[in-house]
């Protein structure tokens, strides 16, 4: 597992069927973008990025770097990678949801 | 809490959920109130369509459609969507009831499909503003004299079933009229009369009465500001202030004035519980208007309502809350700390994982479920249950 802030990459053996290609943007391939800050995890090199059921998959034939404004780069070796976003629990929200007043 | 305040409290929860793009559960029992008050009519219908009781509310939805059309102009897609949201029989029954109306012929137009199918049909109907203003006044004035001033002076049991039928068949016209006047004749006395009638609280037999009153009240506040309440404080129902607090974006000055009114005029409000709800909401809204860096994080200990506590934590920031409240370290591992907060009246003890960004050296906190007891367990949960053993971590 390779972790950069709130994004983590795990090796995937296969690319899911019917995964759709994600277009490159002016910034490169955007893996995840912060809503508040505008900071993003981005691959500037040429890779193939796919999406299936809200999950991104990155396929590369060479080692590439993922960059982010507040984290040092991480490198992904050739292969297929599944992109994960870390989850967080909001105790106050969960409590608010449970309240029945 | 009175049933109306309970519904308003539910609506507050829905408002917050919509604002934060969170899901919420809509029950059949809350459906009428939701359809009456949702700020996004099409989205609200979508949320409500799956409920068993939805098919029973074409009248409410048509009233909301009139409101949208009067305030924002005819929207063909919304009309089409509404017409397709109910079965044909329900639509025809609604339209037929409008055509059967005995009285001002102006209102028969509400019973014909052309009014809802094309912009031209709607525009033809609303072309003559002065006539519609007169018709609206002529609809609301007898309603007030007959239904409010006359019948509701007695006990609800004195209202005959035929009276109730008459009121229900009249209601879409009353709603249209009130919204129309609120747009084109805002200073009409009848709007104030409806807004200020205190008898609703004791004797209303139909929730449409209080719906109409809520609309009238908000219209008066928008027109006159908080002064409308201070000038009429003895005749204002407390639930209406509660409602207005959610519908109108009051500034800090207005909130402070409202606070003074509520705390200074306690004897004029009939139900202490209602007053307490309103007072707490005003206090909370004043807090939410205060710049976050001026807020003391320990305030969250004083807020008992879970919804509001959540909002306040969001505003203050969990980092400041934890820094101020401390938190007990229940596990440490490899530079990580698992902290537990003890907040009185909370059903769980919130847990946070304190971690360092190894790239820039800053610390931050992330919430983890209450059953987690160790840092490694928290880290694994964070990545969906995978083993926490990163080859690279930045």
């Amino acid at each position: 597992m390779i972790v950069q802030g709130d994004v983590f990459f795990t090796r995937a053996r296969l690319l899911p069927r019917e995964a759709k290609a994600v277009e490159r943007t002016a910034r490169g391939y955007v893996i995840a973008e912060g809503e508040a800050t505008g900071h993003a995890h981005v691959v500037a090199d040429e890779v193939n990025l796919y999406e299936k059921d809200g999950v991104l998959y990155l396929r590369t034939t060479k080692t590439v770097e993922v960059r982010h404004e507040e984290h040092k780069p991480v490198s992904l070796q050739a292969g297929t990678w599944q992109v994960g976003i870390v989850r967080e629990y909001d105790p106050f929200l969960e409590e608010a949801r449970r309240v029945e007043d | 809490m009175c049933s109306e305040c309970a519904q308003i409290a539910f609506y507050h929860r829905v408002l917050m959920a919509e604002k934060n793009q969170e899901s919420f559960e809509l029950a059949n029992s809350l459906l009428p109130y939701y359809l009456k008050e949702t700020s996004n009519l099409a989205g609200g219908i979508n949320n409500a369509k799956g409920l068993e009781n939805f098919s029973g509310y074409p009248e409410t939805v048509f009233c909301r459609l009139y409101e949208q059309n009067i305030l924002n102009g005819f929207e063909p897609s919304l009309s089409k969507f509404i017409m397709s949201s109910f079965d044909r029989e329900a639509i025809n029954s609604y339209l037929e009831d409008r055509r059967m109306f005995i009285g001002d012929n102006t209102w028969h137009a509400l019973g014909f499909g052309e009014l809802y199918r094309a912009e031209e049909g709607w525009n033809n109907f609303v072309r003559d503003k002065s006539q519609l203003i007169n018709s609206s006044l002529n609809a609301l004035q007898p309603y007030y004299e007959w239904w409010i001033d006359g019948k509701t002076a007695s006990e609800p049991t004195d209202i005959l079933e035929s009276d109730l039928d008459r009121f229900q068949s009249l209601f879409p016209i009353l709603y249209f009229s009130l919204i129309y006047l609120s747009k084109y004749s805002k200073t009409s006395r009848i709007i104030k009369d409806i807004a200020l009638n205190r008898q609703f609280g004791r004797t209303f037999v139909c929730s449409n009465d209080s719906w109409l009153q809520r609309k009238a009240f908000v219209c008066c506040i928008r027109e006159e500001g908080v002064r409308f309440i201070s000038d009429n404080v003895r005749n204002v129902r407390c639930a209406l202030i509660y409602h207005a607090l959610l519908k109108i974006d009051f500034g800090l000055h207005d909130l402070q004035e409202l606070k003074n009114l509520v705390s200074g005029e306690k004897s004029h409000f009939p139900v202490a519980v209602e007053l307490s709800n309103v007072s707490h909401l005003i206090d909370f809204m004043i807090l939410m208007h205060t710049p976050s860096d001026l807020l003391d994080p320990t305030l969250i200990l004083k807020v008992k309502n879970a919804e509001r506590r959540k909002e306040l934590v969001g505003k203050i920031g969990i980092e400041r809350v934890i820094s101020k409240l401390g938190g007990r370290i229940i596990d440490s591992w490899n530079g990580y700390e698992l902290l537990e907060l003890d907040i009185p009246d909370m059903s769980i003890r919130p847990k946070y994982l304190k971690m360092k960004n190894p790239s820039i050296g800053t610390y931050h906190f992330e919430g983890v479920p209450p059953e987690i007891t160790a840092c490694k367990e928290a880290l694994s949960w964070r990545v969906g249950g995978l083993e926490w053993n990163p080859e690279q971590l930045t």
Side-chain angles (χ1 to χ4, degrees):
Chain A
M1 182 192 302
I2 293 171
V3 182
Q4 185 182 52
D6 56 358
V7 169
F8 60 97
F9 301 87
T10 49
R11 283 200 177 270
R13 284 195 297 172
L14 295 169
L15 187 66
R17 283 184 183 180
E18 298 172 12
K20 290 180 181 167
V22 177
E23 296 287 316
R24 184 188 177 94
T25 70
R27 303 160 80 178
Y29 291 96
V30 177
I31 308 295
E33 190 165 17
E35 282 178 21
T37 59
H39 293 164
H41 302 264
V42 175
V43 179
D45 299 313
E46 203 50 52
V47 295
N48 291 306
L49 190 62
Y50 301 92
E51 185 268 341
K52 173 83 165 64
D53 297 331
V55 178
L56 288 176
Y57 298 85
L58 184 147
R59 183 172 266 182
T60 176
T61 54
K62 59 181 184 196
T63 300
V64 293
E65 274 194 348
V66 185
R67 296 184 170 275
H68 185 273
E69 289 84 345
E70 289 189 337
H71 298 277
K72 288 179 182 164
V74 292
S75 51
L76 303 177
Q77 291 176 350
T80 303
W81 296 86
Q82 180 174 334
V83 181
I85 307 291
V86 302
R87 58 181 170 172
E88 189 175 359
Y89 184 86
D90 185 340
F92 293 95
L93 174 62
E94 290 307 311
E95 190 202 35
R97 277 185 180 153
R98 278 203 298 273
V99 168
E100 296 290 339
D101 55 8
Chain B
M1 191 183 280
C2 73
S3 64
E4 191 180 3
C5 280
Q7 289 184 327
I8 296 171
F10 154 76
Y11 178 64
H12 190 188
R13 205 172 299 159
V14 170
L15 266 185
M16 293 303 115
E18 286 178 342
K19 187 175 142 195
N20 298 323
Q21 297 184 319
E22 295 160 4
S23 60
F24 57 90
E25 201 171 322
L26 186 60
N28 270 315
S29 58
L30 295 164
L31 180 61
Y33 191 89
Y34 177 70
L35 288 173
K36 284 167 184 171
E37 299 300 342
T38 180
S39 51
N40 173 358
L41 181 55
I45 292 171
N46 255 335
N47 288 337
K49 266 166 93 172
L51 289 181
E52 190 187 341
N53 291 356
F54 175 75
S55 60
Y57 293 98
E59 178 194 276
T60 303
V61 172
F62 271 97
C63 285
R64 293 299 313 273
L65 177 64
Y66 301 145
E67 181 178 3
Q68 297 287 311
N69 286 352
I70 291 168
L71 299 180
N72 308 321
F74 185 85
E75 174 53 62
S77 59
L78 181 62
S79 272
K80 197 174 170 187
F81 176 61
I82 286 172
M83 298 297 264
S84 66
S85 296
F86 294 94
D87 62 39
R88 182 168 291 185
E89 199 179 326
I91 298 278
N92 286 342
S93 169
Y94 174 81
L95 296 179
E96 193 181 336
D97 284 351
R98 308 286 79 74
R99 290 197 297 272
M100 298 282 282
F101 174 70
I102 300 165
D104 188 339
N105 290 337
T106 304
W107 303 115
H108 287 166
L110 299 182
F112 292 94
E114 300 89 275
L115 190 73
Y116 310 97
R117 283 193 203 105
E119 193 167 1
E120 195 185 355
W122 174 264
N123 288 344
N124 279 339
F125 178 56
V126 296
R127 182 169 292 140
D128 191 341
K129 280 198 178 71
S130 61
Q131 190 207 330
L132 266 183
I133 288 173
N134 279 334
S135 291
S136 297
L137 288 169
N138 290 337
L140 288 172
Q141 196 60 44
Y143 154 75
Y144 184 81
E145 289 164 6
W146 163 68
W147 185 252
I148 303 177
D149 232 14
K151 291 289 183 187
T152 53
S154 311
E155 289 299 310
T157 48
D158 290 339
I159 293 173
L160 303 174
E161 206 171 319
S162 57
D163 287 337
L164 191 56
D165 288 346
R166 184 179 156 202
F167 171 74
Q168 298 288 32
S169 69
L170 188 62
F171 187 76
I173 293 170
L174 299 176
Y175 194 83
F176 183 107
S177 298
L178 183 71
I179 301 297
Y180 198 80
L181 292 180
S182 75
K183 167 103 176 174
Y184 294 109
S185 185
K186 293 176 185 172
T187 55
S188 296
R189 179 69 219 178
I190 188 68
I191 302 177
K192 288 185 186 178
D193 287 342
I194 293 171
L196 293 173
N197 192 290
R198 276 281 286 269
Q199 293 192 8
F200 281 121
R202 289 200 304 274
T203 63
F204 81 84
V205 289
C206 171
S207 66
N208 281 342
D209 274 320
S210 45
W211 185 20
L212 213 55
Q213 192 181 37
R214 290 196 299 271
K215 286 285 164 191
F217 188 75
V218 168
C219 170
C220 292
I221 303 269
R222 289 196 197 282
E223 189 60 17
E224 297 186 22
V226 172
R227 189 168 56 84
F228 180 73
I229 300 176
S230 55
D231 287 352
N232 301 287
V233 71
R234 286 164 194 272
N235 291 314
V236 172
R237 286 197 308 117
C238 215
L240 294 174
I241 302 178
Y242 191 0
H243 174 76
L245 282 164
L246 302 183
K247 286 287 180 182
I248 297 171
D249 193 11
F250 289 103
L252 189 56
H253 177 77
D254 284 343
L255 287 170
Q256 275 158 347
E257 195 177 333
L258 265 177
K259 174 73 183 166
N260 292 339
L261 275 173
V262 169
S263 49
E265 296 283 347
K266 282 183 182 178
S267 59
H268 301 303
F269 289 96
V271 185
V273 177
E274 285 186 9
L275 184 65
S276 160
N277 287 335
V278 169
S279 185
H280 286 157
L281 184 57
I282 294 171
D283 286 343
F284 179 72
M285 287 184 160
I286 289 173
L287 282 182
M288 294 306 278
H289 271 77
T290 307
S292 59
D293 53 342
L294 297 181
L295 291 174
D296 178 355
T298 59
L299 280 168
I300 71 157
L301 302 178
K302 294 177 189 164
V303 175
K304 308 292 181 200
N305 177 289
E307 288 284 338
R308 293 177 201 163
R309 184 158 50 207
K310 172 182 148 306
E311 277 186 72
L312 192 57
V313 169
K315 180 165 174 106
I316 294 173
I318 190 63
E319 278 77 7
R320 283 189 65 215
V321 170
I322 294 174
S323 301
K324 185 76 178 183
L325 299 183
R328 190 170 68 91
I329 299 172
I330 55 174
D331 187 39
S332 301
W333 177 78
N334 216 11
Y336 295 97
E337 285 178 353
L338 185 61
L339 300 164
E340 183 181 73
L341 298 184
D342 186 8
I343 297 176
D345 300 318
M346 264 192 91
S347 57
I348 56 168
R349 290 190 167 170
K351 285 182 180 168
Y352 288 88
L353 185 66
K354 182 181 179 184
M355 62 188 85
K356 185 179 185 178
N357 178 335
S359 303
I360 55 176
T362 55
Y363 286 91
H364 74 286
F365 299 88
E366 286 182 15
V368 295
E371 60 272 18
I372 283 175
T373 55
C375 292
K376 271 200 95 167
E377 193 187 351
L379 287 162
S380 170
W381 179 85
R382 220 178 145 247
V383 293
L386 299 172
E387 189 187 353
W388 181 255
N389 191 14
E391 301 158 42
Q392 299 173 54
L393 173 65
T394 70

